[in-house]
Amino acid sequence: MTDDTGARAAATDGNLLSGPQPEVARAAGYPEAPPRLGFFTDTSVCIGCKACEVACKEWNAIPEDGLELTGMSYDNTQGLGADTWRHVAFVEQRKPLGGQEPGVSHDHVDVFAAARGLGTSPSSPGPGATAPAPSGARAPAGAPAGQVSPLAPDGRTELRWLMSSDVCKHCTHAACLDVCPTGSLFRTEFGTVVVQEDICNGCGYCVPACPYGVIDQRPDDGRVWKCTLCYDRLGVGMEPACAKACPTDSIQFGPLDELRERAAARVARLHAAGVTDARLYGEDPADGVGGDGAFFLLLDEPEVYGLPPDPVVTTRDLPAMWRHAAAAAAALAVLAAAGFARRPR
């Protein structure tokens, strides 16, 4: 056995709490596991149609969750939760589309100020981008006849929407699984993380353990729910419902190693086309969660999409914490023994 092969085998012998772990299913007890499966979500081609949300709800029989508009965008599901396993985020920015230059401000649009200014200038033409121009306004070149498009004086579209379909990351080191006291959360042979709702006792330990804030409890019974990556479909050779329904292939499903290669090539093409802000998020096995089973191509910093910039599995430091606790307990025991030994008889 070569040194590299030996190191690889050693890395899969046990379920580590942190660091690279190339074969998570083998580490979880599946000696003949198939290749790890996952999602690559390319946000650069997401059109915000929410077909993935609908397909996820229909296939998994997820209850309706209120569909309340945030008041800040067209988003009517607001975030991931027990009743929303796929969530399409809408982020509005005053930043040019495509070919953007590094260092351009990422300030969000002040929707209230924009609403107050509707119909007062050619760059704010009222409800809808094709509303009639205010009196005396002249349509810029390229605008539909008699109408004003929201263009800057140099012809650039200043307002862009970033859309991204978020989902459970199916982490390599899943803290939710590590802290579950009942075994309700388990690692599948495909490397994904699934909740067995009939075993969940509603303790809620997994909720604060997740570094992404994905897993959530239903208020009626307290049990937790999240994306299963359609485990029932994977078992019969089908792709997850969200990926099947995506009309632009923004959500791509397959072996994780292949998806990582495909994602790196996509980023290279975007950079060559001048989209220098394109970057991958969650694909690195050396990151704080050992790499995600569901990773993303983003067009801005992770915080813009509501993602933590440097997620770390919350159970990573447990061994060190137990060592410190044991050392403290031993020191107290020694001090107590010394005190009793010096006590006058």
Side-chain angles (χ1 to χ4, degrees), residues 19-140:
Q21 189 160 42
E23 298 182 25
V24 292
R26 282 188 56 189
Y30 300 96
E32 302 298 330
R36 185 179 180 184
L37 299 176
F39 287 129
F40 163 46
T41 301
D42 182 352
T43 69
S44 70
V45 295
C46 178
I47 58 174
C49 66
K50 289 184 176 277
C52 55
E53 287 191 20
V54 175
C56 179
K57 278 186 174 291
E58 287 185 344
W59 180 261
N60 294 291
I62 303 173
E64 188 269 332
D65 52 359
L67 300 177
E68 298 177 359
L69 290 168
T70 63
M72 302 299 289
S73 77
Y74 289 105
D75 181 10
N76 62 359
T77 45
Q78 304 185 23
L80 294 173
D83 295 331
T84 303
W85 299 359
R86 268 279 180 188
H87 167 243
V88 179
F90 290 74
V91 180
E92 295 178 359
Q93 292 182 316
R94 287 206 180 278
K95 189 174 179 180
L97 286 168
Q100 58 265 31
E101 297 177 359
V104 178
S105 173
H106 295 163
D107 293 340
H108 289 65
V109 174
D110 184 341
V111 294
F112 299 107
R116 288 192 296 269
L118 285 176
T120 61
S121 70
S123 63
S124 183
T130 58
S135 177
R138 189 162 58 92

Side-chain angles (χ1 to χ4, degrees), residues 1 16 25 50 59 76-77 82 87-88 94 108 113 121-122 177 185-186 193 212 231 242 252 263 280 285 295 320 332:
M1 180 182 292
L16 305 177
K50 289 184 176 277
W59 180 261
N76 62 359
T77 45
H87 167 243
V88 179
R94 287 206 180 278
H108 289 65
S121 70
L177 187 156
L185 283 140
F186 74 100
V193 179
Y212 296 101
Y231 183 42
C242 57
Q252 301 178 33
L280 295 179
F295 65 99
L332 288 174

